[in-house]
Amino acid sequence: MFTLIFVYLCLLCCNLHAETECFSKTSEFKMKGDYLLGGLFGVHHVSATLHQNIPEAIICSSQEFSLSSYRRFQMMRFSIEEINNSTSLLPNVTLGYEIFDHCSDTKNFPGIFSLMSVDGSVQPWKESVNFSKVIAVVGTGTSTATMTVAPLFMMDLIPMITYGASSSVFFRKQNFPSFLRTVHPNKDVIEIILRFLEKFKWTWVAFLYSDGDYGRDGLDLFVKKIKDTEICLAFSHGLKEDTDYPKLIKQMEQHRINVIIVFTTEWTAERLIMAAIQQNVTNKVWIAADAWSLHKKLPKRPGIRNIGTVLGIAEPKITIPGFDDFINSFKAQNQCENPEQDPFCNQRCNCSSVSAEDIITADPSFNFPVYSAVYAVAHALHAVLQCGAGSCNKSIKLYPHMVLEELRKSKFTLLNQTIQFDDNGDPKFGPYAIVFWNESGDAEEIGSYTFHPKHNFDINNYWFILWFYVLQPESFCSKECPDGFMKKQEGVHKCCFSCTICPKGTYLNTTDPYNCMKCKDTEWSAEGSKACKPRQLEYVQFSDPAAICIMTGTVILLAFIVAISVLFALNYNTPVVRSAGGPMCFLILGCLSLCSISVFFCFGKPTIVFCILRYTPFFLFGSVCLACLAVHSFKIICIFKIFAKLPILQRYWRKYHRSWLIISIVFFIQAAQLISGTILSPPEPYPDTFWYSDKYILRCYFFKNHKASLSSCVFLFILWLITLFFSYTGRNLPKNYNEVRAITFCMLQQILIWIFFATGYTIHHGKYLQIFSALAMLLSLYSYLFNYFISKCNIIIFKPEQNTQQYFQDLILDYSMQSSQLVAHHFYSCL
């Protein structure tokens, strides 16, 4: 109800006001035709906030006149006249128009309702298939104005082709199904602005925008675009009619901002630039959006050169043939011939003082979008009316939605450009020009940005730009860090940072200047590096002299083992062999030979197989050797100190073969630990990079699985302690009987050998560390061999008289005269 009252009051206001105005015989705002196009142009602009006590429509002709909008207004008239004069596009069909001066977003709706109604009034309760008298509407010129009026046309799918509304909100086709535009959306303009900043390496910028749908949309898009870039939004502000410009400029000076993006309408930009001139702002770069980059008056204002450099984004200046002649002809006609004519509200210009030259030289922005919008409707009408050779089918009942369907499929050539729309109704044509306000006060074209078939940004006349201080201004919060220094952010802006040099072993990746990246294990870098260098791989090769010596020693060890095995086999039933363990001797010798396998795999480039064989044989068969010696020591102690007192224990020991049982248990425990550790986490080669910066040593990570690997080492150490304990317990046995003493001495030598290895491991960290490991293994094996077997070989070969049963009985007799016979009996029975 309120809307209807408002409409009627608006109409009443317009009719009353019309009596005092002067109009020409043929109104600029109306022309009859077979089919009507509506037009909405902001010929006048409300420059201040209006305070009203009663609802009434604004009389636009009393507001501030916009010459650039008036030029677009005339462009629509020219386009329709040109189409009507064509014999091919719409033959025998004439286009008419009703154009309204849409000077306010909310207070001149009567013109909108007039376009939507057939008889000049809106009847919302009257059933009608279509009550619009226009087949399409061209306009409006701003996003806010379009958002206000567009829903009224959308409900009947009346095509609305805007030449200036670039807000992203119109992407929502569920809300704006019949909306199209011949101007690029804000996202394209913001993309060009971003390319500007990247081209000139400006990272610290301000974004000033008109506080409306157009400006806020531009700000939102800009913030999203710079999210993953090096550009920072240092300051943003919405410009209103009551903006305190001196305070605004002071705030930007405090932030040390040299690049200012001005995403506003032309009249808002005028206020800002004039304030900058008055505040004596210098050496700034002003990036103008397409709404005001081709402004005619501002570049010629006194003092404009002092504020810095103005770069802008604009539509290319396309010359439209015949337009100048049309304007000259139109202005030559006599005005105000019929004051009795009663035109509708806001269809008056009151601009008789404007000359043809003023119109022709006015800001040409958005003129081609108006021209192409009118032609797009004409081509769509051509398709709907099935126009052919010299005529169109005027009998077809035409509705706006039929024109809309053909508009969506538009594809025609106009002034060497292919006019076409995408799925959102946005143009797939029209490049942008990159302009610079030169010293002559003209917007000089220095580059271009094309969208189709691909995006391409090109500034080909860079040297034409005149900077305030000759050199290109810089705009940053913190100066870029030197090479090899990472940025440490300070505050909320990523552009404000301190510089920290990257330490050794790291480098600065250009893709992430805020973090020093760690080099790979096989690479190294000095302090402050931009890249890593490959480390030199080092390991002991088989051809190394030290490796050759140790492998030769291992071969000699194996030769000794073979020789001793043959000697013991030939003298198997002698007391010396039997006292040494009999068959257990061959097990020990066999385990020693298997342990020696590990020595060979200490050299060469480590692999998983090499790492497994480097330690597993030594740990497994070394455990068996220790178990044999421990059992043998225990058995000798029992013979001399226990079996004589407890004969039943001797029978039990012999009956159940406890020696072999214990050795088997030890073997299976150690084997289980080593196998499980290898399966769960195989020992892998790893690069040791701790001690050297420019090289790495490839080592075997045996303790990767700590529980399994460490338990096998602990188990081996426990066996060594048990063997040492039993052998040391038998230190007071017969003086010339050296079995246990030899084992004790062997165990003590083992600890000395591994202390030597640990010392070398601590002191040396190069590739020859593996030599220490191999040498420790080899010396350990030689210790077993020499301490336990060589003395017995000496008796067998050189002292056969000591290898008799009588000799052993004499030794025992010397040990204990009272129990010698019993001990001797037990000794021979247990061997």
Side-chain angles (χ1 to χ4, degrees), residues 502-507 519 524-533 693:
C502 288
K504 293 179 179 179
T506 64
Y507 70 100
C519 293
W524 73 283
S525 67
E527 191 178 58
S529 296
K530 295 191 297 181
C532 294
K533 300 176 183 177
S693 61

Side-chain angles (χ1 to χ4, degrees), residues 21 28 40 86 101 224 242 273 402 445 456 460 647 660 671 686 698 713 730 739 759 774 778 782:
E21 293 291 335
E28 295 180 66
L40 297 173
S86 171
D101 185 0
K224 291 176 183 177
D242 59 348
I273 297 301
M402 299 165 66
E445 188 170 327
N456 182 45
N460 45 28
W660 298 107
Y686 76 98
L698 207 56
C713 294
E739 293 285 341
T759 304
L778 185 60
Y782 268 109

Side-chain angles (χ1 to χ4, degrees), residues 70-232:
Y70 187 58
R71 177 185 165 107
R72 295 166 203 142
F73 168 89
Q74 295 297 342
M75 182 59 69
M76 179 173 176
R77 296 183 64 236
F78 163 73
S79 304
I80 292 176
E81 182 174 302
E82 189 176 60
I83 291 169
N84 287 338
N85 291 331
S86 171
T87 58
S88 58
L89 185 54
L90 291 174
N92 78 316
V93 171
T94 58
L95 289 180
Y97 57 81
E98 279 199 17
I99 306 176
F100 289 86
D101 185 0
H102 195 69
C103 63
S104 172
D105 300 336
T106 57
K107 295 182 179 179
N108 64 342
F109 269 82
I112 308 301
F113 292 129
S114 177
L115 289 178
M116 296 172 60
S117 62
V118 176
D119 56 1
S121 64
V122 178
Q123 300 178 17
W125 296 286
K126 183 178 180 181
E127 293 185 6
S128 175
V129 176
N130 176 64
F131 55 85
S132 173
K133 64 183 176 183
V134 297
I135 59 170
V137 178
V138 176
T140 64
T142 66
S143 296
T144 301
T146 304
M147 286 183 65
T148 305
V149 303
L152 300 175
F153 297 106
M154 299 297 111
M155 60 185 179
D156 281 324
L157 294 180
I158 301 172
M160 185 176 187
I161 311 177
T162 178
Y163 54 86
S166 55
S167 175
S168 301
V169 70
F170 301 112
F171 287 140
R172 300 202 300 256
K173 304 315 292 182
Q174 67 272 24
N175 296 336
F176 303 97
S178 60
F179 175 88
L180 300 96
R181 53 185 160 196
T182 51
V183 65
H184 284 279
N186 283 342
K187 68 179 182 65
D188 292 340
V189 178
I190 294 298
E191 173 69 23
I192 301 173
I193 291 174
L194 186 65
R195 295 293 185 91
F196 254 124
L197 302 179
E198 292 173 344
K199 171 73 175 179
F200 295 105
K201 299 181 180 178
W202 292 321
T203 59
W204 191 240
V205 300
F207 194 97
L208 305 182
Y209 58 97
S210 53
D211 193 18
D213 299 292
Y214 165 73
R216 286 192 291 268
D217 180 61
L219 176 66
D220 292 342
L221 290 169
F222 183 73
V223 171
K224 291 176 183 177
K225 280 283 187 180
I226 65 173
K227 185 176 180 181
D228 297 322
T229 68
E230 294 297 313
I231 299 166
C232 292

